[in-house]
């Protein structure tokens, strides 16, 4: 079990939280600009003009919406743009947002319905998952209700005179909402630290895995090199003093060491395949297949192979990995049709139900369907290495790559009647682990 | 060719050292090899060679394993490149690691070549021959104006 360092854990937690702050700052910048324009629209709609004696002029509310709204919006938006994620920005936004609520309440003549803007704003501020922001916001609401309740009750309660304790009732509802928002913030923060801890553990185990495969790569290969190197020395220098049987055994040692070397290499490439970063690109399969066929030229030039390549679509994925998938499937098709005087290999694709399915079909030696589940396992083989060379890593790599793309692999076959290998990839750019 | 110039082989594994020496022997070079068993010894040897005023006793080429006790090959390489007197000595990493990061780090630190110890002895011979050719080339370029 890898050790979880509390420092890394809190670092990840901090990163996550800062990301949320920055995103929420940006969201408020947009929201507050929208509210500013909406406030002006409300003012224009309700009372664009007023009478002063016999003259008509622009209503004071319109000016209030433009100027006060502008003041309440400008500083928060400026800070959200220049200092996103900082403590000051959050609290200034909280103040600005609550002042905007106050302005909108005023513009609607203190209608009780417009007070709900306060509750909506508090819920939005809870997005920060930083409860002191709610305290700042609530303090502004409380102060506003008390002061306007004393000097201009019409503006906030919509009536000319009110009971002196009316603000207590309003503030109580704010505190009531705050209570639940704070609980929800504390809950999601505790979940976030859980995520951070898991991530730390994952990073630690990845580092361990990294060290493990490095050690495999270096330490397992070293004695193997000695076996192979000194056997070769023996072959060179003791050739004449050895009888046929001894020479044969020596030959077996050399070949086994060689095979183990390849197995180690394959195992490492398989483990690297699972860990390496995945690219996301649009990959046209047609050219990829053409390349894979060309790469097999050395093996196919002396054989009769009838290639049928259907129209192939573009897919989303990692080009290098998908090239490896096709190279593996095509080289298998070529390998297992070796016994045929005329080999047939067909490659095609179809798209349906949100996925693209690609198949490679051959008329080779095929396989028994009862072993189909073994096919994609690591170092699993259905033929002896003498009949068909290989370590059994190819299809394991194919499956791992396709799974990382969020797709599936399967196969159909019959002994001596050929085989067909399929893989599907989601057409939407989902998946990618 | 200045045959007094020597090869410094830093290799902790006795078996590997022997195989390398066998391969060097095929090129008639085994007599020129000084073998050290870890990075610290390699640095000591190099410091002595560099401090030898008047006579150039620096090795013609250093064959460095990466994974060694005490001081690793990459650290030895870094210190060679940081040392005014050793900076120009050709260094060949001779290692069993084929990890990308080791290759990249070696070249970043100024290795002249990176050879992965092959499993096959004939390949090993070919690799050592390449190192030898590289050494010959470097010395020919360097010899008209010894530093």
């Amino acid at each position: 079990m890898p050790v979880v360092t509390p420092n890394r854990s809190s670092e990840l937690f901090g990163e996550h939280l800062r990301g949320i702050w920055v995103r929420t700052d940006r969201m408020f910048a947009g929201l507050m600009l929208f509210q500013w324009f909406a406030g002006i629209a409300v003012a224009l709609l309700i009372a664009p003009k007023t009478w002063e004696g016999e003259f008509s002029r622009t209503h004071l509310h319109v000016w209030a919406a433009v100027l006060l709204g502008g003041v309440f919006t400008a500083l928060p938006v400026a800070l959200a743009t220049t200092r996103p994620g900082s403590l000051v920005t959050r609290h200034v936004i909280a103040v600005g947002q609550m002042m905007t609520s106050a302005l909108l309440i005023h513009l609607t003549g203190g209608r009780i319905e417009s007070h709900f803007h306060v509750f909506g704003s508090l819920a939005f501020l809870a997005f920060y998952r930083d409860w002191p922001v709610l305290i700042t916001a609530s303090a502004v609401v409380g102060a506003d209700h008390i002061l306007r309740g004393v000097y201009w009750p019409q503006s906030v309660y919509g009536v000319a005179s009110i009971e002196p304790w009316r603000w207590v009732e309003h503030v109580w509802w704010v505190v009531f909402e705050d209570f639940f928002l704070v609980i929800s913030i504390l809950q999601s923060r505790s979940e976030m630290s859980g995520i951070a801890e898991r991530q730390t553990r994952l990073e630690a185990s990845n580092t361990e895995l990294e060290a493990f495969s490095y050690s495999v790569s270096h330490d397992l290969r070293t004695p193997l090199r000695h076996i192979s190197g000194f056997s070769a020395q023996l072959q060179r220098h003791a050739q004449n003093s050895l009888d046929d049987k001894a020479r044969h055994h020596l030959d077996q040692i050399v070949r086994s060491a060689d095979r183990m070397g390849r197995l180690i290499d394959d195992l490492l490439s398989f483990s690297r395949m699972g860990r390496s970063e995945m690219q996301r690109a649009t990959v046209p399969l047609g050219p990829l297949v053409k390349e894979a066929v060309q790469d097999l030229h050395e093996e196919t030039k002396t054989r009769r192979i009838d290639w049928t390549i259907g129209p192939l679509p573009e897919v989303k994925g990692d080009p290098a990995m998908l090239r490896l998938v096709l190279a593996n499937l095509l080289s298998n098709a070529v390998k297992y049709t070796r016994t045929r005087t005329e080999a047939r290999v067909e490659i095609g694709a179809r798209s349906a139900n949100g996925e693209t399915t690609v198949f490679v079909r051959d008329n080779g030696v095929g396989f028994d369907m009862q072993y189909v589940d073994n096919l994609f396992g690591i170092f699993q083989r259905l033929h002896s290495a003498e009949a068909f060379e290989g370590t059994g890593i190819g299809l394991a790599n194919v499956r791992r790559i396709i799974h990382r793309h969020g797709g599936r692999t399967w196969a159909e076959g019959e002994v001596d009647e050929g085989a067909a290998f399929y893989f599907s990839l989601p057409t939407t750019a989902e998946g990618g682990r | 060719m200045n045959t007094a110039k020597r090869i410094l082989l830093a290799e902790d594994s006795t078996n590997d050292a022997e195989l390398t020496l066998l391969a060097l022997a095929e090129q008639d070079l085994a007599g020129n090899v000084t073998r050290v068993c870890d990075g610290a010894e390699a640095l000591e040897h190099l410091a002595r060679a560099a401090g030898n005023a008047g006579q150039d006793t620096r090795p013609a080429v250093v064959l460095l394993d990466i994974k060694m006790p005490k001081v690793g090959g990459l650290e030895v390489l870094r210190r060679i490149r940081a040392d005014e007197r050793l900076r120009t000595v050709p260094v060949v990493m001779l290692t069993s690691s084929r990890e990308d990061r080791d290759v990249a780090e070696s070249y970043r630190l100024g290795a002249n070549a990176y050879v992965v110890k092959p499993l096959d002895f004939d390949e090993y011979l070919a690799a050592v021959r390449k190192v030898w050719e590289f050494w010959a080339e470097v010395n020919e370029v360097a010899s008209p104006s010894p530093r």
Side-chain angles (χ1 to χ4, degrees):
Chain A
M1 191 71 166
V3 186
V4 176
T5 53
N7 284 346
R8 179 64 188 145
S9 206
S10 54
E11 201 178 292
L12 284 168
F13 178 81
E15 263 171 40
H16 191 172
L17 204 54
R18 266 191 302 283
I20 289 173
W21 291 340
V22 169
R23 273 202 307 282
T24 311
D25 281 345
R26 292 212 185 100
M27 187 198 77
F28 267 108
L31 176 71
M32 293 182 84
L33 284 171
F34 170 76
Q35 288 174 152
W36 184 28
F37 297 131
I40 295 170
V42 166
L44 287 173
L45 210 69
I46 293 175
K49 297 280 184 181
T50 187
W51 294 98
E52 192 170 331
E54 53 192 284
F55 301 106
S56 160
R57 64 171 173 80
T58 303
H59 197 288
L60 192 64
H61 278 182
V62 176
W63 292 117
V66 172
L67 296 176
L68 276 179
V71 168
F72 298 153
T73 305
L75 187 58
V77 169
L79 282 175
T81 321
T82 55
R83 299 185 57 191
S86 85
L87 179 81
V88 175
T89 305
R90 276 197 296 294
H91 285 271
V92 168
I93 283 176
V95 173
Q97 178 64 21
M98 296 339 271
M99 294 303 283
T100 305
S101 280
L103 177 65
L104 290 174
I105 291 169
H106 169 78
L107 290 178
T108 57
R111 278 172 66 90
I112 195 68
E113 287 80 1
S114 62
H115 284 232
F116 284 104
H117 191 271
V118 170
F119 298 118
S121 298
L122 285 172
F124 264 130
L125 287 168
F127 282 20
Y128 281 116
R129 303 190 199 184
D130 190 26
W131 59 266
V133 171
L134 293 180
I135 304 297
T136 301
S138 305
V140 171
V141 176
D144 171 54
H145 276 66
I146 294 170
L147 290 174
R148 276 200 288 167
V150 172
Y151 296 106
W152 198 359
Q154 185 105 43
S155 156
V156 60
Y157 301 112
V159 287
S161 80
I162 48 138
E163 310 85 335
W165 45 263
R166 177 67 74 88
W167 66 270
V168 178
E169 196 183 333
H170 281 243
V171 169
W172 154 248
W173 284 111
V174 168
V175 172
F176 180 75
E177 187 187 358
D178 281 347
F179 178 71
F180 296 104
L181 290 177
V182 169
I183 287 178
S184 136
I185 287 171
L186 293 179
Q187 259 172 7
S188 67
R189 280 175 81 111
S190 112
E191 276 162 25
M192 278 165 68
S193 61
I195 291 171
E197 238 166 70
R198 274 202 298 282
Q199 170 105 20
T200 311
R201 216 172 284 141
L202 207 63
E203 279 180 3
S205 81
N206 255 342
T207 314
E208 262 180 22
L209 207 64
E210 206 61 61
F212 169 76
S213 78
Y214 183 85
S215 162
V216 167
S217 150
H218 188 283
D219 297 331
L220 279 192
R221 223 194 294 265
T222 301
L224 199 58
R225 191 173 49 249
H226 301 158
I227 295 172
S228 150
F230 290 112
S231 308
Q233 285 300 310
L234 208 53
Q235 272 180 330
R236 277 160 174 261
H237 298 293
Q239 195 65 255
N240 298 328
S241 54
L242 293 175
D243 61 15
D244 274 354
K245 206 167 179 185
R247 268 200 292 275
H248 174 67
H249 290 330
L250 199 52
D251 208 41
Q252 281 171 314
I253 293 173
V254 171
R255 265 189 289 128
S256 294
D258 194 47
R259 182 167 172 77
M260 182 161 171
R262 261 180 292 138
L263 286 171
I264 291 176
D265 286 346
D266 286 349
L267 206 55
L268 286 174
S269 76
F270 181 72
S271 117
R272 222 171 278 139
M273 195 72 66
R275 288 177 290 133
S276 60
E277 284 289 312
M278 256 179 75
Q279 279 186 38
R280 285 245 153 244
T282 302
V283 188
L285 288 178
L288 226 53
V289 166
K290 207 178 266 176
E291 266 175 56
V293 172
Q294 265 158 17
D295 289 344
L296 290 165
H297 179 71
E298 205 47 47
E299 289 156 69
T300 55
K301 63 182 177 190
T302 54
R303 289 181 44 193
R304 282 182 64 185
I305 299 179
D306 176 21
W307 295 95
T308 311
I309 302 174
L312 294 167
E314 284 182 346
V315 293
K316 292 259 185 293
D318 184 297
M321 287 189 181
L322 292 175
R323 179 176 297 130
L324 194 67
V325 166
L326 289 167
N328 271 317
L329 293 179
L330 294 186
S331 87
N332 274 355
V334 166
K335 192 200 297 185
Y336 293 104
T337 52
R338 193 188 289 151
T339 53
R340 301 289 185 259
T341 45
E342 190 160 339
R344 277 199 314 278
V345 181
E346 190 188 346
I347 303 134
R350 63 188 147 76
S351 296
N353 304 327
E355 59 178 19
T356 300
T357 305
V358 181
F359 67 86
V360 177
R361 188 177 294 133
D362 65 57
N363 67 337
V365 295
F367 61 90
D368 189 335
M369 274 304 269
Q370 65 169 311
Y371 304 119
V372 70
D373 291 336
N374 297 355
L375 270 177
F376 293 93
I378 186 163
F379 295 148
Q380 296 279 352
R381 306 211 61 211
L382 298 185
H383 302 274
S384 68
E386 280 73 31
F388 293 100
E389 71 290 348
T391 56
I393 198 73
L395 288 176
N397 272 334
V398 166
R399 169 160 284 183
R400 190 164 229 190
I401 291 170
I402 297 302
H403 280 182
R404 285 192 71 185
H405 281 80
R408 298 174 295 129
T409 55
W410 67 99
E412 286 163 7
E414 207 177 314
V415 174
D416 231 27
E417 295 293 325
F421 288 85
Y422 300 84
F423 67 86
S424 71
L425 294 168
T427 40
T428 47
E430 294 296 314
R433 283 167 288 147
Chain B
M1 184 67 47
N2 183 2
T3 47
K5 287 221 158 207
R6 302 184 64 87
I7 298 171
L8 177 65
L9 172 64
E11 172 66 74
D12 60 318
S13 151
T14 314
N15 283 336
D16 265 338
E18 196 178 335
L19 283 173
T20 307
L21 285 171
L22 283 167
L24 286 168
E26 300 264 337
Q27 315 288 329
D28 288 328
L29 286 169
N32 288 339
V33 179
T34 306
R35 186 220 164 183
V36 289
C37 297
D38 60 57
E41 271 185 44
L43 287 169
E44 264 169 47
H45 178 90
L46 286 165
R48 256 199 317 279
N52 209 335
Q55 200 186 348
D56 190 4
T57 53
R58 293 174 305 174
V61 65
V62 179
L63 303 180
L64 261 188
D65 190 13
I66 288 189
K67 205 176 166 193
M68 286 188 291
K70 295 181 195 165
V71 183
L74 290 172
E75 178 59 18
V76 174
L77 173 62
R78 197 186 62 74
R79 293 206 214 161
I80 288 175
R81 291 299 177 245
D83 190 321
E84 203 58 52
R85 301 159 304 173
L86 296 169
R87 187 166 287 165
T88 55
V89 174
V91 175
V92 176
M93 308 310 287
L94 186 60
T95 166
S96 45
S97 162
R98 57 186 69 190
E99 291 283 312
D100 292 344
R101 58 184 166 148
D102 281 337
V103 181
E105 187 66 0
S106 295
Y107 283 121
R108 194 184 69 76
L109 289 172
N112 298 79
Y114 189 98
V115 178
V116 177
K117 293 174 194 163
L119 283 180
D120 188 278
F121 188 75
D122 288 328
E123 275 178 52
Y124 211 139
L125 268 185
V128 169
R129 193 171 298 136
K130 277 228 181 76
V131 171
W132 158 248
E133 279 162 8
F134 170 78
W135 175 30
E137 201 178 298
V138 167
N139 281 304
E140 245 149 61
V141 173
S143 53
S145 56
R147 275 173 289 256

